[in-house]
Amino acid sequence: MAGNTDGKTDFDVIVIGGGPGGYVAAIRAGQLGLKAACVEADKLGGVCLNIGCIPTKALLSSALMVNELGNAGGHGISFDGLAVDLGPAQARSRAVANRLSNGVGFLLKKNGVTHIEGYGRLAGGGAVEVERDGERRTITAGDIVVATGSRPRSLPFLEIDEERIWSSTGALFQKRAPASLVVVGAGAVGMEFADIYNAYGTKVTVIEALERVLPLEDRDSSRAVAQAFKRRGMDIFTSARVESTVARDDGVTISFTDGRGKAHALDVDYVLSAVGRIPNTEDIGLDAAGVRLTERGNFIAVDEATRTNVPGVWAVGDCAGNQLLAHKGMHEGVVAAEHIAGVGHHTVDYGNVPNCTYCHPEVASVGLTEEQARDKGLDIEVGRFPWVANGRALAAGDSTGFVKVIRDRRYSEVVGAHIVGPHATELIAEFVMARHLESTVEEIDLAMHPHPTLSEAVAEGALGALGRALHI
């Protein structure tokens, strides 16, 4: 154990923040026999569970159902007067989130973790000040894990007010789909909400400053999703620069310049700002404790075991930088707790974190893009297997996209995998596991995949990277 173990502290471990990274760290600490506390000022589960990952996926499930109903004729289903209403879907998403938030409280209790309601700040020397309803108290521990998360970024020309200019939070709580919406930012959050609102009848326009949507993904993935969204009637502007937004009582005027230098001014009902997130690292006592931040982005600087520069202080999740993803934060929480308990035998592999976007078509990836692999000078072979050649995808009527595997010829390792299409976010786990186990592409093929399944496309993509796919 890294901190004080002489029994003179209130707890062995205090976790500041009850989001995915925080509550998982606290649970794992409890499982390892440590006396743990989790300090949270809001609902347990953090942004992801309450106003992020979970409720948006509930809405995306509803949006997918709406889109499938539009194609029900091919299944022999016909009806008159199809009407869609965002309100019930939004209420359902809140019910799902609330149920899981309550479940986190149960899990903390089950594992002997003390849940302390209040706002936590580092006070130095193993102390945490907890503020609630104007009252403050101090608790102590041998080790402290900071898991304070992040929040939406607001820009000078795109000031979020949650009235006419939404963050993802504002977009999540709407009970009515507006006639028109501009989404600024075509990362995962922007594309997911574009999918939801388009399904419920909103005219959606997407504006992205970089040259393509989903700019962190492989170019082929970005292209496939952009084409799919355009077929659904969405307008997409890339390499575009927003100049100003003027909010009124009845709408917003957004002015921007497109990639060709042409000026546009759109009058729309609402604008969604999805231009990234910033860490919650202010007013949490980092200065008092002497914790160092990164030079860029004001994230807490950590090593691969989530240690900060101060012995006994750790940081996990969005506030610790790297990928701002819930599963990355959860993994960090486990790593931190195990190292605190003295049983840590692994660190965080930040090169093997899967990226997932849950729009339709889904997008998932792990490792390097083709461009990154070539820029590194790797001798690669690329296999690509389209869903139109997969029987299960065709049977389900969902054959947009592909599986793409990038193989290093030297050792035949999977240096990158990219999936666009049905259940991509589930299938990517096979590639994550393969990379973790340092499997070769040949070994993926030799592991028999059932037929007919979507997972066959994983094996076919691997065969494609060997130049011998069977079904294309």
Side-chain angles (χ1 to χ4, degrees):
M1 191 180 299
N4 187 341
T5 60
D6 61 7
K8 294 182 180 179
T9 58
D10 298 311
F11 299 94
D12 297 320
V13 184
I14 298 172
V15 180
I16 303 176
Y23 80 73
V24 167
I27 287 172
R28 186 65 183 126
Q31 290 176 342
L32 292 168
L34 300 179
K35 186 180 180 183
C38 182
V39 180
E40 173 56 57
D42 205 343
K43 289 185 177 181
L44 290 170
V47 167
C48 176
L49 197 158
N50 292 289
I51 53 173
C53 323
I54 300 303
T56 56
K57 300 329 165 257
L59 284 174
L60 284 160
S61 295
S62 299
L64 178 58
M65 184 175 292
V66 169
N67 285 326
E68 288 180 337
L69 286 173
N71 299 310
H75 297 279
I77 303 170
S78 61
F79 46 82
D80 295 323
L82 174 65
V84 297
D85 183 355
L86 182 61
Q90 194 274 339
R92 175 179 174 274
S93 76
R94 296 315 313 153
V96 171
N98 291 335
R99 180 174 180 177
L100 287 177
S101 180
N102 292 334
V104 173
F106 167 77
L107 291 173
L108 292 180
K109 185 176 181 179
K110 174 185 174 184
N111 289 281
V113 177
T114 301
H115 172 208
I116 300 175
E117 296 184 50
Y119 188 95
R121 297 181 182 86
L122 295 171
V128 173
E129 179 187 81
V130 180
E131 180 178 358
R132 184 185 182 194
D133 298 331
E135 297 184 359
R136 301 186 181 190
R137 65 167 170 144
T138 299
I139 54 177
T140 58
D143 289 273
I144 301 169
V145 180
V146 181
T148 50
S150 65
R151 64 186 184 276
R153 182 188 302 275
S154 192
L155 299 175
F157 52 83
L158 194 62
E159 290 284 354
I160 296 168
D161 58 17
E162 304 296 15
E163 295 293 332
R164 288 291 168 178
I165 302 178
W166 302 332
S167 70
S168 55
T169 304
L172 189 64
F173 281 87
Q174 301 304 310
K175 299 183 185 302
R176 181 183 63 85
S180 56
L181 171 70
V182 167
V183 177
V184 181
V189 172
M191 296 300 275
E192 288 178 358
F193 276 109
D195 183 304
I196 292 166
Y197 278 94
N198 168 264
Y200 281 91
T202 299
K203 172 58 182 176
V204 174
T205 302
V206 178
I207 300 174
E208 169 57 49
L210 299 179
E211 62 178 344
R212 53 195 172 89
V213 302
L214 297 177
L216 298 181
E217 297 291 350
D218 190 90
R219 286 184 179 273
D220 287 344
S221 299
S222 298
R223 185 181 303 112
V225 176
Q227 290 172 347
F229 274 35
K230 288 176 182 178
R231 285 195 297 269
R232 290 169 54 183
M234 288 180 250
D235 294 328
I236 297 177
F237 296 89
T238 55
S239 300
R241 185 177 70 251
V242 175
E243 306 289 351
S244 65
T245 50
V246 179
R248 308 178 307 277
D249 290 341
D250 61 346
V252 184
T253 299
I254 181 167
S255 301
F256 66 97
T257 303
D258 66 22
R260 297 180 179 181
K262 181 180 178 180
H264 299 260
L266 298 181
D267 290 319
V268 296
D269 291 325
Y270 297 94
V271 171
L272 166 60
S273 175
V275 293
R277 302 182 67 85
I278 56 177
N280 295 324
T281 51
E282 311 93 340
D283 193 27
I284 58 170
L286 297 180
D287 289 341
V291 175
R292 187 175 70 246
L293 295 174
T294 59
E295 292 183 4
R296 181 178 179 181
N298 286 328
F299 297 99
I300 299 173
V302 297
D303 65 12
E304 291 182 342
T306 77
R307 300 181 187 90
T308 71
N309 62 300
V310 178
V313 179
W314 314 68
V316 303
D318 285 7
C319 69
N322 291 300
Q323 299 92 337
L324 305 190
L325 300 169
H327 47 272
K328 187 273 298 186
M330 291 180 176
H331 194 80
E332 287 177 323
V334 171
V335 168
E338 292 182 350
H339 279 271
I340 289 169
V343 297
H345 301 295
H346 68 287
T347 55
V348 183
D349 183 358
Y350 291 108
N352 200 34
V353 177
N355 292 310
C356 297
T357 304
Y358 299 82
C359 59
H360 188 253
E362 287 190 2
V363 186
S365 64
V366 66
L368 302 178
T369 66
E370 181 178 350
E371 185 176 25
Q372 289 169 339
R374 297 193 187 282
D375 287 345
K376 285 179 174 290
L378 299 180
D379 181 16
I380 62 172
E381 187 170 2
V382 178
R384 177 174 168 142
F385 187 80
W387 287 113
V388 292
N390 177 268
R392 183 66 187 275
L394 283 175
D398 194 359
S399 58
T400 298
F402 54 83
V403 175
K404 179 176 179 178
V405 181
I406 304 167
R407 175 179 77 95
D408 184 345
R409 283 193 175 98
R410 184 178 183 186
Y411 298 115
S412 207
E413 65 178 308
V414 179
V415 297
H418 306 271
I419 308 176
V420 176
H423 299 285
T425 58
E426 302 290 344
L427 294 170
I428 198 65
E430 184 169 345
F431 287 113
V432 177
M433 178 67 76
R435 283 169 50 81
H436 177 70
L437 296 176
E438 299 181 347
S439 299
T440 64
V441 170
E442 289 87 346
E443 287 170 323
I444 293 176
D445 168 53
L446 290 173
M448 190 182 299
H449 290 71
H451 172 81
T453 64
L454 298 176
S455 67
E456 287 180 283
V458 171
E460 288 278 5
L463 283 173
L466 292 166
R468 54 186 181 92
L470 292 171
H471 289 92
I472 55 170

